[in-house]
Amino acid sequence: MNRDAFWDAITGLVAMPAHLRFTGWAELELREPAAAAVLRDQLEKYAQTAADFTVAYDRRHRTP
């Protein structure tokens, strides 16, 4: 839950893909709403700075 460390990671420590898709996003929001909000905020901020990056949040629940 260190948003500064996550920001540092996605902006310089790791190579980000051009497209990132989360499946089961609704489940994460239910289980960890604060963490999901931080993650979404950081990725949306990153998307504004990286012209070729998109992120999608698939809200369908995972099937076992």
Side-chain angles (χ1 to χ4, degrees):
M1 287 302 303
N2 183 334
R3 72 178 63 203
D4 292 330
F6 181 72
W7 180 255
D8 291 344
I10 66 174
T11 59
L13 296 176
V14 298
M16 291 293 285
H19 182 73
L20 184 60
R21 180 182 190 93
F22 287 94
T23 57
W25 185 258
E27 185 175 335
L28 178 62
E29 287 180 316
L30 287 173
R31 292 178 184 230
E32 297 291 336
V38 168
L39 183 59
R40 182 186 287 265
D41 289 345
Q42 292 289 303
L43 290 172
E44 295 297 328
K45 180 179 171 184
Y46 178 74
Q48 293 174 0
T49 66
D52 62 342
F53 176 76
T54 60
V55 60
Y57 304 93
D58 185 348
R59 297 192 49 79
R60 290 176 286 173
H61 290 282
R62 293 182 312 171
T63 55

